[in-house]
Amino acid sequence: DAGVIQSPRHEVTEMGQEVTLRCKPISGHDYLFWYRQTMMRGLELLIYFNNNVPIDDSGMPEDRFSAKMPNASFSTLKIQPSEPRDSAVYFCASSKKGPTDTQYFGPGTRLTVL
Amino acid sequence: AQSVTQLGSHVSVSEGALVLLRCNYSSSVPPYLFWYVQYPNQGLQLLLKYTSAATLVKGINGFEAEFKKSETSFHLTKPSAHMSDAAEYFCAVSDHTDTDKLIFGTGTRLQVFP
């Protein structure tokens, strides 16, 4: 299995631009998670989906962030407009049975907003 | 509200020495507890988890953790450190109610010296 795939691996953009991060979960996994990791705040859950339906989006910072899962094999996290404080590593993870089942993490996308 | 506290953001040991990484939790119900490891420039991977079965949990790479309800602790140990154990270690808790999501600690960076 290829594992969780994220793209791009690195993204550098300017403040105000739209950023789209992409994730392909492991086939057969019904749950998909988006996390953000920063030095200041550590690892935070932004949102997670079950069978493509958002279950908990309480960690989404504000309206500038949106996440979609149009099908079982693809999800996006969009930031519009981006701000320097959004600079972080964004991880996607997937699991078969839920948050307390083993979560498999992708390699992450390092986002830098100038 | 559930939370985890990891004492010590950095721990240094010599190769062959005991590894002890501390984690204390706060939860209103018996929790599920997890240790994840993050190697440089990679996503997290599960080391072990406690889900109310045996209180001593064995994980991968020779790590184990013991759930102690009286101390609200779930410390991670390994009898003999190896250079390859150098990584960041995250403790996480889920109270497996509501949305079941994991709450991660701030992480402990383990350095192993030859």
Side-chain angles (χ1 to χ4, degrees), chain B residues 56-102:
Chain B
L56 182 63
V57 182
K58 294 187 184 298
I60 61 172
N61 301 338
F63 283 93
E64 63 182 36
E66 186 172 7
F67 173 70
K68 291 187 177 180
K69 184 178 178 181
S70 61
E71 300 177 6
T72 61
S73 69
F74 190 59
H75 301 333
L76 182 70
T77 61
K78 182 175 180 177
S80 177
H82 191 272
M83 297 294 289
S84 60
D85 295 326
E88 188 147 19
Y89 293 79
F90 293 90
C91 183
V93 64
S94 170
D95 64 9
H96 55 88
T97 60
D98 194 17
T99 66
D100 263 0
K101 64 185 179 185
L102 299 189

Side-chain angles (χ1 to χ4, degrees), chain A residues 9 35 37 43 45 48 55-56 58 91 99-103 105-107, chain B residues 32 34 36 38 41-44 46 49 90 94 96 99-102 104:
Chain A
R9 293 293 310 274
Y35 290 91
Q37 186 177 38
L43 191 66
L45 176 69
Y48 82 86
I55 301 300
D56 187 335
S58 59
F91 289 103
T100 56
D101 193 18
T102 302
Q103 294 187 31
F105 283 71
Chain B
Y32 289 176
F34 307 79
Y36 277 80
Q38 184 179 27
N41 300 313
Q42 296 185 26
L44 283 69
L46 182 68
K49 64 180 177 181
F90 293 90
S94 170
H96 55 88
T99 66
D100 263 0
K101 64 185 179 185
L102 299 189
F104 285 85

Side-chain angles (χ1 to χ4, degrees), chain A residues 6 33 45 47 51 56 58 64 74 81 83 88 99 102 104 106 111:
Chain A
Q6 291 187 247
F33 310 85
L45 176 69
I47 185 171
N51 290 322
D56 187 335
S58 59
R64 297 184 299 106
F74 183 65
E83 297 182 2
T102 302
Y104 295 85
L111 173 65

